[in-house]
Amino acid sequence: MTIQTVSTNRSYGGVQGVYRHASQTTGTDMVFSVYVPPHAEGAKLPVVWYLSGLTCTHANVTEKGEFRNACAELGLIFVAPDTSPRGPDVPGDANNAYDFGLGAGFYVDATQEPFARNYRMWSYVTDELPKVVAGNFPVDAKRQSIMGHSMGGHGALTVALRNPHRYRAASAFAPIVAPSQVPWGIKALTGYLGPNKDTWRSHDTVALIEDGAKYSGFLVDVGEADNFLKEQLRPELLEAACTKANIPLTLRRQPGYDHSYYFISTFMSDHLHWHAERLKG
């Protein structure tokens, strides 16, 4: 549970930190960021987990997400892990593509070589990192929620559906809701999990809902000017699945917004207030 402090900065009365630790799950050093808002001594605070998208590290949301003001107001700890293992011995995509390998762990535990040894991001974000964070920060483990963007939206929604009693709220910006049906997901799931599509279903939001998974409700924002909306994101598939399964879904299509952090930061406060309402008590 030992962590190394990379940096700390005062912000909105709290502390934004970046930390490194040796992960037993991935077999690499992993870097993550944690914002701790101002709080009374001895207080335990609710925590929001944020899973980032393709090509990102912890730094993208930490530097561009504009979450600290709302987190300070609402008393929320905000944790942002990396998106994949990294290091000189970690295999990447043979063609150096952006949508597989380094920066594109897809929040699964790989079973295919040469990725199975290091690419265990599902276990990292659902098991190891929560223990590390709980051991070093004033977290109330009974009050957790999760959110993410794009590939991280896929991760957040699937994590919530498979752990509905751990996460009180789940939301997403521009999530890949049906990776089994879109190019990004088909490439990643084939590469990490193999060609048997039955093994993909537990990492596919729409498939999980079709197979009976339940959740209290989702908040999802997508930008109508997002270049990936029609081919990769397919929010209409989530809408249909939730309607059929009677899972409450607030799906907001935002005119003029794209896939970038300009979009995410615009609606970040909305999401955090939505999470805070469900994390009370």
Side-chain angles (χ1 to χ4, degrees):
M1 298 298 178
T2 302
I3 64 173
Q4 173 189 350
T5 301
V6 177
S7 65
T8 58
N9 296 92
R10 197 76 172 166
S11 182
Y12 292 99
V15 176
Q16 176 63 66
V18 177
Y19 307 92
R20 177 184 293 111
H21 74 115
S23 170
Q24 295 183 356
T25 302
T26 67
T28 66
D29 281 357
M30 296 293 288
V31 177
F32 62 98
S33 77
V34 180
Y35 177 71
V36 179
H39 61 281
E41 185 175 353
K44 295 290 187 179
L45 305 177
V47 57
V48 178
W49 298 89
Y50 179 93
L51 305 185
S52 295
L54 290 167
T55 76
C56 292
T57 69
H58 71 282
N60 298 74
V61 69
T62 305
E63 297 171 1
K64 302 176 184 178
E66 299 183 19
F67 56 86
R68 280 173 287 271
N69 192 1
C71 284
E73 173 194 343
L74 299 166
L76 302 174
I77 291 175
F78 190 97
V79 182
D82 203 345
T83 53
S84 75
R86 299 177 194 270
D89 298 324
V90 176
D93 183 77
N95 298 313
N96 293 319
Y98 76 94
D99 56 357
F100 188 75
L102 300 177
F106 249 81
Y107 304 102
V108 303
D109 285 349
T111 59
Q112 304 300 297
E113 297 300 336
F115 306 104
R117 180 168 61 91
N118 303 118
Y119 285 80
R120 304 187 64 238
M121 291 304 295
W122 177 271
S123 292
Y124 180 71
V125 299
T126 63
D127 183 27
E128 184 179 27
L129 187 59
K131 292 176 181 175
V132 170
V133 170
N136 290 277
F137 301 94
V139 167
D140 181 353
K142 294 182 179 179
R143 292 188 291 163
Q144 300 186 61
S145 68
I146 193 164
M147 63 193 303
H149 169 234
S150 194
M151 176 184 74
H154 137 77
L157 298 181
T158 56
V159 166
L161 282 165
R162 290 173 57 181
N163 299 275
H165 301 298
R166 184 193 300 186
Y167 302 96
R168 294 193 185 183
S171 71
F173 302 100
I176 306 168
V177 302
S180 301
Q181 302 183 52
V182 301
W184 277 342
I186 292 169
K187 179 177 180 177
L189 296 178
T190 301
Y192 293 132
L193 302 179
N196 183 354
K197 293 186 177 182
D198 289 341
T199 67
W200 301 1
R201 296 187 70 81
S202 62
H203 290 287
D204 182 308
T205 298
V206 169
L208 280 165
I209 294 171
E210 290 174 348
D211 292 345
K214 297 292 185 182
Y215 200 70
S216 56
F218 300 118
L219 170 62
V220 173
D221 276 306
V222 296
E224 290 187 344
D226 191 320
N227 291 336
F228 305 113
L229 187 64
K230 293 181 179 180
E231 183 180 25
Q232 305 283 10
L233 307 182
R234 304 290 304 278
E236 72 278 2
L237 298 179
L238 176 64
E239 190 170 36
C242 285
T243 297
K244 187 174 182 180
N246 294 315
I247 294 175
L249 170 67
T250 300
L251 174 61
R252 306 190 305 186
R253 294 176 171 86
Q254 305 290 1
Y257 284 90
D258 58 19
H259 200 69
S260 73
Y261 269 89
Y262 294 107
F263 157 61
I264 297 166
S265 62
T266 299
F267 301 103
M268 177 65 80
S269 181
D270 284 0
H271 280 241
L272 290 171
H273 278 82
W274 188 83
H275 282 252
E277 290 177 3
R278 288 151 181 79
L279 289 167
K280 289 178 181 177

